Amino acid sequence: QVQLVQSGGGLVQVGGSLRLSCAASGRPFSNNAMGWCRQAPGMEREFVGGVARSGGRTAYADSVKGRFTITRDNAKNTVYLQMSSLKPEDTAIYYCAAGPIYSSRTDQYSLWGQGTQVTVSA
């Protein structure tokens, strides 16, 4: 079946940058809207950013707007989350997600990656 495999993440200091990658095994990759969500300790999973099938439309949570950028490369079946100016409150497990709908709601994504830890130290 179709799977999402994530890479990246790790430990970074405040103000630093990280790039997360998510590779999809299924085709056509371009049929799916893609998103990134995160879950911090004691918190519910929240939407971070999303990109439409064409890559022409993107959406971001207010908390990350201007700092995070989501892109997709359909030729490589890969979606990226570039994170800059990281803050301690960005610490969470980050999940790549796929779904049929371009959405900012976590419950509208049906396929999830394994998750990667991002820790931002003050």
Side-chain angles (χ1 to χ4, degrees):
Q1 60 179 306
V2 176
Q3 293 185 346
L4 302 177
V5 180
Q6 300 178 220
S7 61
L11 177 65
V12 64
Q13 291 185 326
V14 171
S17 299
L18 285 173
R19 188 181 73 166
L20 306 182
S21 299
C22 176
S25 63
R27 293 188 179 183
F29 174 76
S30 60
N31 281 357
N32 292 306
M34 302 296 297
W36 289 92
C37 302
R38 67 186 182 185
Q39 188 167 19
M43 304 290 289
E44 295 189 359
R45 191 170 298 182
E46 65 174 344
F47 171 80
V48 173
V51 60
R53 295 177 180 181
S54 67
R57 293 189 299 160
T58 55
Y60 300 94
D62 288 341
S63 60
V64 306
K65 192 173 299 181
R67 300 187 298 117
F68 290 12
T69 302
I70 183 171
T71 58
R72 67 188 300 163
D73 187 338
N74 289 343
K76 297 180 179 180
N77 292 347
T78 302
V79 63
Y80 305 93
L81 181 67
Q82 178 66 50
M83 304 181 292
S84 301
S85 301
L86 284 162
K87 305 174 181 179
E89 50 263 46
D90 294 320
T91 296
I93 300 174
Y94 284 72
Y95 296 90
C96 176
I101 304 172
Y102 173 66
S103 177
S104 60
R105 291 170 50 182
T106 61
D107 60 358
Q108 293 185 335
Y109 292 93
S110 57
L111 182 66
W112 297 85
Q114 79 276 18
T116 57
Q117 177 70 45
V118 173
T119 302
V120 184
S121 62

PDB file of all heavy atoms in Angstrom, residues 68-100:
ATOM      1  N   PHE A  68       7.758  28.996   8.382  1.00  0.00           N
ATOM      2  CA  PHE A  68       7.763  27.667   7.766  1.00  0.00           C
ATOM      3  C   PHE A  68       7.317  27.776   6.316  1.00  0.00           C
ATOM      4  O   PHE A  68       6.461  28.601   5.973  1.00  0.00           O
ATOM      5  CB  PHE A  68       6.817  26.720   8.497  1.00  0.00           C
ATOM      6  CG  PHE A  68       7.259  26.312   9.879  1.00  0.00           C
ATOM      7  CD1 PHE A  68       8.305  26.940  10.529  1.00  0.00           C
ATOM      8  CD2 PHE A  68       6.601  25.278  10.528  1.00  0.00           C
ATOM      9  CE1 PHE A  68       8.701  26.564  11.797  1.00  0.00           C
ATOM     10  CE2 PHE A  68       6.990  24.889  11.799  1.00  0.00           C
ATOM     11  CZ  PHE A  68       8.035  25.527  12.435  1.00  0.00           C
ATOM     12  N   THR A  69       7.872  26.918   5.478  1.00  0.00           N
ATOM     13  CA  THR A  69       7.498  26.863   4.080  1.00  0.00           C
ATOM     14  C   THR A  69       7.330  25.412   3.650  1.00  0.00           C
ATOM     15  O   THR A  69       8.218  24.589   3.871  1.00  0.00           O
ATOM     16  CB  THR A  69       8.549  27.537   3.184  1.00  0.00           C
ATOM     17  OG1 THR A  69       8.732  28.901   3.580  1.00  0.00           O
ATOM     18  CG2 THR A  69       8.093  27.512   1.721  1.00  0.00           C
ATOM     19  N   ILE A  70       6.197  25.107   3.052  1.00  0.00           N
ATOM     20  CA  ILE A  70       5.953  23.766   2.542  1.00  0.00           C
ATOM     21  C   ILE A  70       6.018  23.790   1.019  1.00  0.00           C
ATOM     22  O   ILE A  70       5.458  24.683   0.374  1.00  0.00           O
ATOM     23  CB  ILE A  70       4.605  23.211   3.040  1.00  0.00           C
ATOM     24  CG1 ILE A  70       4.400  21.773   2.565  1.00  0.00           C
ATOM     25  CG2 ILE A  70       3.444  24.084   2.602  1.00  0.00           C
ATOM     26  CD1 ILE A  70       3.197  21.096   3.200  1.00  0.00           C
ATOM     27  N   THR A  71       6.724  22.834   0.463  1.00  0.00           N
ATOM     28  CA  THR A  71       6.843  22.702  -0.979  1.00  0.00           C
ATOM     29  C   THR A  71       6.702  21.240  -1.367  1.00  0.00           C
ATOM     30  O   THR A  71       6.821  20.350  -0.527  1.00  0.00           O
ATOM     31  CB  THR A  71       8.188  23.236  -1.500  1.00  0.00           C
ATOM     32  OG1 THR A  71       9.261  22.540  -0.851  1.00  0.00           O
ATOM     33  CG2 THR A  71       8.325  24.727  -1.230  1.00  0.00           C
ATOM     34  N   ARG A  72       6.447  20.992  -2.634  1.00  0.00           N
ATOM     35  CA  ARG A  72       6.386  19.622  -3.117  1.00  0.00           C
ATOM     36  C   ARG A  72       7.078  19.508  -4.457  1.00  0.00           C
ATOM     37  O   ARG A  72       7.067  20.434  -5.265  1.00  0.00           O
ATOM     38  CB  ARG A  72       4.941  19.124  -3.200  1.00  0.00           C
ATOM     39  CG  ARG A  72       4.078  19.809  -4.245  1.00  0.00           C
ATOM     40  CD  ARG A  72       2.616  19.379  -4.113  1.00  0.00           C
ATOM     41  NE  ARG A  72       2.444  17.944  -4.274  1.00  0.00           N
ATOM     42  CZ  ARG A  72       1.359  17.263  -3.902  1.00  0.00           C
ATOM     43  NH1 ARG A  72       0.349  17.906  -3.318  1.00  0.00           N
ATOM     44  NH2 ARG A  72       1.289  15.956  -4.099  1.00  0.00           N
ATOM     45  N   ASP A  73       7.670  18.357  -4.670  1.00  0.00           N
ATOM     46  CA  ASP A  73       8.319  18.038  -5.923  1.00  0.00           C
ATOM     47  C   ASP A  73       7.672  16.756  -6.423  1.00  0.00           C
ATOM     48  O   ASP A  73       8.034  15.658  -6.004  1.00  0.00           O
ATOM     49  CB  ASP A  73       9.821  17.865  -5.735  1.00  0.00           C
ATOM     50  CG  ASP A  73      10.562  17.701  -7.046  1.00  0.00           C
ATOM     51  OD1 ASP A  73       9.946  17.308  -8.052  1.00  0.00           O
ATOM     52  OD2 ASP A  73      11.779  17.963  -7.073  1.00  0.00           O
ATOM     53  N   ASN A  74       6.705  16.899  -7.296  1.00  0.00           N
ATOM     54  CA  ASN A  74       5.947  15.740  -7.756  1.00  0.00           C
ATOM     55  C   ASN A  74       6.809  14.758  -8.553  1.00  0.00           C
ATOM     56  O   ASN A  74       6.545  13.560  -8.557  1.00  0.00           O
ATOM     57  CB  ASN A  74       4.752  16.193  -8.588  1.00  0.00           C
ATOM     58  CG  ASN A  74       3.675  16.839  -7.750  1.00  0.00           C
ATOM     59  OD1 ASN A  74       3.645  16.688  -6.527  1.00  0.00           O
ATOM     60  ND2 ASN A  74       2.769  17.568  -8.392  1.00  0.00           N
ATOM     61  N   ALA A  75       7.826  15.264  -9.226  1.00  0.00           N
ATOM     62  CA  ALA A  75       8.716  14.392  -9.975  1.00  0.00           C
ATOM     63  C   ALA A  75       9.498  13.464  -9.054  1.00  0.00           C
ATOM     64  O   ALA A  75       9.868  12.356  -9.451  1.00  0.00           O
ATOM     65  CB  ALA A  75       9.672  15.215 -10.825  1.00  0.00           C
ATOM     66  N   LYS A  76       9.749  13.897  -7.831  1.00  0.00           N
ATOM     67  CA  LYS A  76      10.467  13.099  -6.847  1.00  0.00           C
ATOM     68  C   LYS A  76       9.549  12.461  -5.814  1.00  0.00           C
ATOM     69  O   LYS A  76      10.029  11.803  -4.887  1.00  0.00           O
ATOM     70  CB  LYS A  76      11.513  13.957  -6.139  1.00  0.00           C
ATOM     71  CG  LYS A  76      12.599  14.501  -7.052  1.00  0.00           C
ATOM     72  CD  LYS A  76      13.600  15.332  -6.269  1.00  0.00           C
ATOM     73  CE  LYS A  76      14.703  15.862  -7.169  1.00  0.00           C
ATOM     74  NZ  LYS A  76      15.680  16.686  -6.411  1.00  0.00           N
ATOM     75  N   ASN A  77       8.246  12.673  -5.952  1.00  0.00           N
ATOM     76  CA  ASN A  77       7.269  12.139  -5.000  1.00  0.00           C
ATOM     77  C   ASN A  77       7.602  12.539  -3.563  1.00  0.00           C
ATOM     78  O   ASN A  77       7.493  11.731  -2.636  1.00  0.00           O
ATOM     79  CB  ASN A  77       7.175  10.616  -5.106  1.00  0.00           C
ATOM     80  CG  ASN A  77       6.562  10.153  -6.404  1.00  0.00           C
ATOM     81  OD1 ASN A  77       5.985  10.937  -7.156  1.00  0.00           O
ATOM     82  ND2 ASN A  77       6.677   8.858  -6.669  1.00  0.00           N
ATOM     83  N   THR A  78       7.983  13.776  -3.384  1.00  0.00           N
ATOM     84  CA  THR A  78       8.464  14.233  -2.090  1.00  0.00           C
ATOM     85  C   THR A  78       7.870  15.592  -1.737  1.00  0.00           C
ATOM     86  O   THR A  78       7.736  16.465  -2.605  1.00  0.00           O
ATOM     87  CB  THR A  78       9.993  14.323  -2.072  1.00  0.00           C
ATOM     88  OG1 THR A  78      10.547  13.046  -2.391  1.00  0.00           O
ATOM     89  CG2 THR A  78      10.502  14.748  -0.706  1.00  0.00           C
ATOM     90  N   VAL A  79       7.536  15.743  -0.474  1.00  0.00           N
ATOM     91  CA  VAL A  79       7.084  17.020   0.052  1.00  0.00           C
ATOM     92  C   VAL A  79       8.037  17.427   1.170  1.00  0.00           C
ATOM     93  O   VAL A  79       8.570  16.576   1.891  1.00  0.00           O
ATOM     94  CB  VAL A  79       5.620  16.950   0.544  1.00  0.00           C
ATOM     95  CG1 VAL A  79       5.481  15.966   1.697  1.00  0.00           C
ATOM     96  CG2 VAL A  79       5.111  18.324   0.928  1.00  0.00           C
ATOM     97  N   TYR A  80       8.258  18.721   1.304  1.00  0.00           N
ATOM     98  CA  TYR A  80       9.223  19.240   2.262  1.00  0.00           C
ATOM     99  C   TYR A  80       8.567  20.249   3.198  1.00  0.00           C
ATOM    100  O   TYR A  80       7.624  20.945   2.829  1.00  0.00           O
ATOM    101  CB  TYR A  80      10.382  19.936   1.554  1.00  0.00           C
ATOM    102  CG  TYR A  80      11.091  19.085   0.535  1.00  0.00           C
ATOM    103  CD1 TYR A  80      10.716  19.115  -0.804  1.00  0.00           C
ATOM    104  CD2 TYR A  80      12.144  18.256   0.901  1.00  0.00           C
ATOM    105  CE1 TYR A  80      11.364  18.341  -1.747  1.00  0.00           C
ATOM    106  CE2 TYR A  80      12.799  17.478  -0.035  1.00  0.00           C
ATOM    107  CZ  TYR A  80      12.405  17.523  -1.356  1.00  0.00           C
ATOM    108  OH  TYR A  80      13.055  16.756  -2.286  1.00  0.00           O
ATOM    109  N   LEU A  81       9.110  20.323   4.391  1.00  0.00           N
ATOM    110  CA  LEU A  81       8.760  21.389   5.320  1.00  0.00           C
ATOM    111  C   LEU A  81      10.055  22.057   5.755  1.00  0.00           C
ATOM    112  O   LEU A  81      10.855  21.463   6.478  1.00  0.00           O
ATOM    113  CB  LEU A  81       8.003  20.854   6.536  1.00  0.00           C
ATOM    114  CG  LEU A  81       7.568  21.915   7.546  1.00  0.00           C
ATOM    115  CD1 LEU A  81       6.511  22.837   6.938  1.00  0.00           C
ATOM    116  CD2 LEU A  81       7.039  21.276   8.825  1.00  0.00           C
ATOM    117  N   GLN A  82      10.251  23.276   5.294  1.00  0.00           N
ATOM    118  CA  GLN A  82      11.409  24.061   5.681  1.00  0.00           C
ATOM    119  C   GLN A  82      11.032  24.919   6.877  1.00  0.00           C
ATOM    120  O   GLN A  82      10.110  25.723   6.792  1.00  0.00           O
ATOM    121  CB  GLN A  82      11.884  24.940   4.525  1.00  0.00           C
ATOM    122  CG  GLN A  82      13.068  25.834   4.857  1.00  0.00           C
ATOM    123  CD  GLN A  82      14.330  25.060   5.132  1.00  0.00           C
ATOM    124  OE1 GLN A  82      14.705  24.197   4.345  1.00  0.00           O
ATOM    125  NE2 GLN A  82      14.989  25.337   6.250  1.00  0.00           N
ATOM    126  N   MET A  83      11.732  24.744   7.978  1.00  0.00           N
ATOM    127  CA  MET A  83      11.435  25.447   9.213  1.00  0.00           C
ATOM    128  C   MET A  83      12.590  26.372   9.564  1.00  0.00           C
ATOM    129  O   MET A  83      13.742  25.936   9.627  1.00  0.00           O
ATOM    130  CB  MET A  83      11.185  24.463  10.351  1.00  0.00           C
ATOM    131  CG  MET A  83      10.074  23.458  10.070  1.00  0.00           C
ATOM    132  SD  MET A  83       9.783  22.329  11.453  1.00  0.00           S
ATOM    133  CE  MET A  83      11.316  21.393  11.400  1.00  0.00           C
ATOM    134  N   SER A  84      12.278  27.624   9.799  1.00  0.00           N
ATOM    135  CA  SER A  84      13.272  28.623  10.147  1.00  0.00           C
ATOM    136  C   SER A  84      12.830  29.378  11.385  1.00  0.00           C
ATOM    137  O   SER A  84      11.666  29.336  11.777  1.00  0.00           O
ATOM    138  CB  SER A  84      13.488  29.599   8.983  1.00  0.00           C
ATOM    139  OG  SER A  84      13.920  28.933   7.819  1.00  0.00           O
ATOM    140  N   SER A  85      13.777  30.094  11.982  1.00  0.00           N
ATOM    141  CA  SER A  85      13.496  30.882  13.189  1.00  0.00           C
ATOM    142  C   SER A  85      12.753  30.059  14.223  1.00  0.00           C
ATOM    143  O   SER A  85      11.749  30.484  14.796  1.00  0.00           O
ATOM    144  CB  SER A  85      12.702  32.142  12.827  1.00  0.00           C
ATOM    145  OG  SER A  85      13.406  32.943  11.905  1.00  0.00           O
ATOM    146  N   LEU A  86      13.258  28.885  14.488  1.00  0.00           N
ATOM    147  CA  LEU A  86      12.567  27.947  15.362  1.00  0.00           C
ATOM    148  C   LEU A  86      12.515  28.443  16.803  1.00  0.00           C
ATOM    149  O   LEU A  86      13.450  29.075  17.297  1.00  0.00           O
ATOM    150  CB  LEU A  86      13.238  26.583  15.297  1.00  0.00           C
ATOM    151  CG  LEU A  86      12.929  25.801  14.022  1.00  0.00           C
ATOM    152  CD1 LEU A  86      13.931  24.681  13.813  1.00  0.00           C
ATOM    153  CD2 LEU A  86      11.505  25.240  14.074  1.00  0.00           C
ATOM    154  N   LYS A  87      11.396  28.124  17.440  1.00  0.00           N
ATOM    155  CA  LYS A  87      11.124  28.520  18.813  1.00  0.00           C
ATOM    156  C   LYS A  87      10.918  27.282  19.677  1.00  0.00           C
ATOM    157  O   LYS A  87      10.571  26.221  19.162  1.00  0.00           O
ATOM    158  CB  LYS A  87       9.866  29.394  18.877  1.00  0.00           C
ATOM    159  CG  LYS A  87       9.894  30.615  17.982  1.00  0.00           C
ATOM    160  CD  LYS A  87       8.556  31.333  18.016  1.00  0.00           C
ATOM    161  CE  LYS A  87       8.557  32.551  17.116  1.00  0.00           C
ATOM    162  NZ  LYS A  87       7.240  33.242  17.142  1.00  0.00           N
ATOM    163  N   PRO A  88      11.105  27.403  20.991  1.00  0.00           N
ATOM    164  CA  PRO A  88      10.868  26.249  21.859  1.00  0.00           C
ATOM    165  C   PRO A  88       9.466  25.668  21.704  1.00  0.00           C
ATOM    166  O   PRO A  88       9.295  24.449  21.808  1.00  0.00           O
ATOM    167  CB  PRO A  88      11.075  26.816  23.264  1.00  0.00           C
ATOM    168  CG  PRO A  88      12.039  27.930  23.066  1.00  0.00           C
ATOM    169  CD  PRO A  88      11.668  28.538  21.738  1.00  0.00           C
ATOM    170  N   GLU A  89       8.483  26.499  21.448  1.00  0.00           N
ATOM    171  CA  GLU A  89       7.120  26.018  21.289  1.00  0.00           C
ATOM    172  C   GLU A  89       6.903  25.239  19.998  1.00  0.00           C
ATOM    173  O   GLU A  89       5.832  24.660  19.792  1.00  0.00           O
ATOM    174  CB  GLU A  89       6.107  27.173  21.378  1.00  0.00           C
ATOM    175  CG  GLU A  89       6.444  28.347  20.487  1.00  0.00           C
ATOM    176  CD  GLU A  89       7.173  29.453  21.234  1.00  0.00           C
ATOM    177  OE1 GLU A  89       8.112  29.136  21.991  1.00  0.00           O
ATOM    178  OE2 GLU A  89       6.802  30.634  21.068  1.00  0.00           O
ATOM    179  N   ASP A  90       7.904  25.210  19.126  1.00  0.00           N
ATOM    180  CA  ASP A  90       7.841  24.373  17.933  1.00  0.00           C
ATOM    181  C   ASP A  90       8.210  22.925  18.232  1.00  0.00           C
ATOM    182  O   ASP A  90       8.073  22.067  17.352  1.00  0.00           O
ATOM    183  CB  ASP A  90       8.773  24.910  16.845  1.00  0.00           C
ATOM    184  CG  ASP A  90       8.336  26.265  16.322  1.00  0.00           C
ATOM    185  OD1 ASP A  90       7.123  26.489  16.150  1.00  0.00           O
ATOM    186  OD2 ASP A  90       9.225  27.108  16.066  1.00  0.00           O
ATOM    187  N   THR A  91       8.685  22.655  19.427  1.00  0.00           N
ATOM    188  CA  THR A  91       9.051  21.296  19.809  1.00  0.00           C
ATOM    189  C   THR A  91       7.833  20.384  19.744  1.00  0.00           C
ATOM    190  O   THR A  91       6.812  20.642  20.382  1.00  0.00           O
ATOM    191  CB  THR A  91       9.643  21.274  21.219  1.00  0.00           C
ATOM    192  OG1 THR A  91      10.866  22.016  21.231  1.00  0.00           O
ATOM    193  CG2 THR A  91       9.928  19.847  21.664  1.00  0.00           C
ATOM    194  N   ALA A  92       7.942  19.320  18.964  1.00  0.00           N
ATOM    195  CA  ALA A  92       6.820  18.415  18.757  1.00  0.00           C
ATOM    196  C   ALA A  92       7.265  17.256  17.884  1.00  0.00           C
ATOM    197  O   ALA A  92       8.368  17.255  17.334  1.00  0.00           O
ATOM    198  CB  ALA A  92       5.646  19.145  18.090  1.00  0.00           C
ATOM    199  N   ILE A  93       6.392  16.273  17.776  1.00  0.00           N
ATOM    200  CA  ILE A  93       6.546  15.255  16.758  1.00  0.00           C
ATOM    201  C   ILE A  93       5.833  15.752  15.513  1.00  0.00           C
ATOM    202  O   ILE A  93       4.656  16.111  15.562  1.00  0.00           O
ATOM    203  CB  ILE A  93       5.964  13.902  17.199  1.00  0.00           C
ATOM    204  CG1 ILE A  93       6.662  13.409  18.463  1.00  0.00           C
ATOM    205  CG2 ILE A  93       6.112  12.867  16.092  1.00  0.00           C
ATOM    206  CD1 ILE A  93       6.061  12.152  19.043  1.00  0.00           C
ATOM    207  N   TYR A  94       6.539  15.770  14.408  1.00  0.00           N
ATOM    208  CA  TYR A  94       5.996  16.269  13.159  1.00  0.00           C
ATOM    209  C   TYR A  94       5.613  15.110  12.259  1.00  0.00           C
ATOM    210  O   TYR A  94       6.383  14.165  12.075  1.00  0.00           O
ATOM    211  CB  TYR A  94       7.008  17.175  12.459  1.00  0.00           C
ATOM    212  CG  TYR A  94       7.099  18.545  13.088  1.00  0.00           C
ATOM    213  CD1 TYR A  94       7.701  18.724  14.326  1.00  0.00           C
ATOM    214  CD2 TYR A  94       6.561  19.664  12.455  1.00  0.00           C
ATOM    215  CE1 TYR A  94       7.767  19.975  14.922  1.00  0.00           C
ATOM    216  CE2 TYR A  94       6.629  20.916  13.035  1.00  0.00           C
ATOM    217  CZ  TYR A  94       7.234  21.068  14.272  1.00  0.00           C
ATOM    218  OH  TYR A  94       7.296  22.317  14.853  1.00  0.00           O
ATOM    219  N   TYR A  95       4.425  15.206  11.689  1.00  0.00           N
ATOM    220  CA  TYR A  95       3.889  14.158  10.843  1.00  0.00           C
ATOM    221  C   TYR A  95       3.596  14.681   9.446  1.00  0.00           C
ATOM    222  O   TYR A  95       2.967  15.733   9.293  1.00  0.00           O
ATOM    223  CB  TYR A  95       2.584  13.593  11.418  1.00  0.00           C
ATOM    224  CG  TYR A  95       2.730  12.911  12.752  1.00  0.00           C
ATOM    225  CD1 TYR A  95       2.588  13.616  13.938  1.00  0.00           C
ATOM    226  CD2 TYR A  95       2.996  11.549  12.828  1.00  0.00           C
ATOM    227  CE1 TYR A  95       2.709  12.991  15.166  1.00  0.00           C
ATOM    228  CE2 TYR A  95       3.116  10.916  14.051  1.00  0.00           C
ATOM    229  CZ  TYR A  95       2.970  11.644  15.217  1.00  0.00           C
ATOM    230  OH  TYR A  95       3.085  11.021  16.437  1.00  0.00           O
ATOM    231  N   CYS A  96       4.039  13.957   8.467  1.00  0.00           N
ATOM    232  CA  CYS A  96       3.625  14.179   7.094  1.00  0.00           C
ATOM    233  C   CYS A  96       2.289  13.486   6.876  1.00  0.00           C
ATOM    234  O   CYS A  96       2.039  12.415   7.429  1.00  0.00           O
ATOM    235  CB  CYS A  96       4.679  13.629   6.139  1.00  0.00           C
ATOM    236  SG  CYS A  96       4.256  13.727   4.393  1.00  0.00           S
ATOM    237  N   ALA A  97       1.427  14.088   6.088  1.00  0.00           N
ATOM    238  CA  ALA A  97       0.110  13.523   5.862  1.00  0.00           C
ATOM    239  C   ALA A  97      -0.339  13.734   4.427  1.00  0.00           C
ATOM    240  O   ALA A  97       0.050  14.707   3.775  1.00  0.00           O
ATOM    241  CB  ALA A  97      -0.908  14.145   6.818  1.00  0.00           C
ATOM    242  N   ALA A  98      -1.173  12.823   3.957  1.00  0.00           N
ATOM    243  CA  ALA A  98      -1.739  12.905   2.622  1.00  0.00           C
ATOM    244  C   ALA A  98      -3.241  12.721   2.691  1.00  0.00           C
ATOM    245  O   ALA A  98      -3.755  12.018   3.564  1.00  0.00           O
ATOM    246  CB  ALA A  98      -1.129  11.850   1.699  1.00  0.00           C
ATOM    247  N   GLY A  99      -3.939  13.343   1.774  1.00  0.00           N
ATOM    248  CA  GLY A  99      -5.379  13.206   1.719  1.00  0.00           C
ATOM    249  C   GLY A  99      -5.943  13.719   0.417  1.00  0.00           C
ATOM    250  O   GLY A  99      -5.247  14.378  -0.356  1.00  0.00           O
ATOM    251  N   PRO A 100      -7.210  13.428   0.182  1.00  0.00           N
ATOM    252  CA  PRO A 100      -7.832  13.837  -1.086  1.00  0.00           C
ATOM    253  C   PRO A 100      -8.233  15.296  -1.128  1.00  0.00           C
ATOM    254  O   PRO A 100      -8.581  15.795  -2.198  1.00  0.00           O
ATOM    255  CB  PRO A 100      -9.073  12.939  -1.146  1.00  0.00           C
ATOM    256  CG  PRO A 100      -9.432  12.725   0.289  1.00  0.00           C
ATOM    257  CD  PRO A 100      -8.117  12.656   1.026  1.00  0.00           C
TER     258      PRO A 100
END
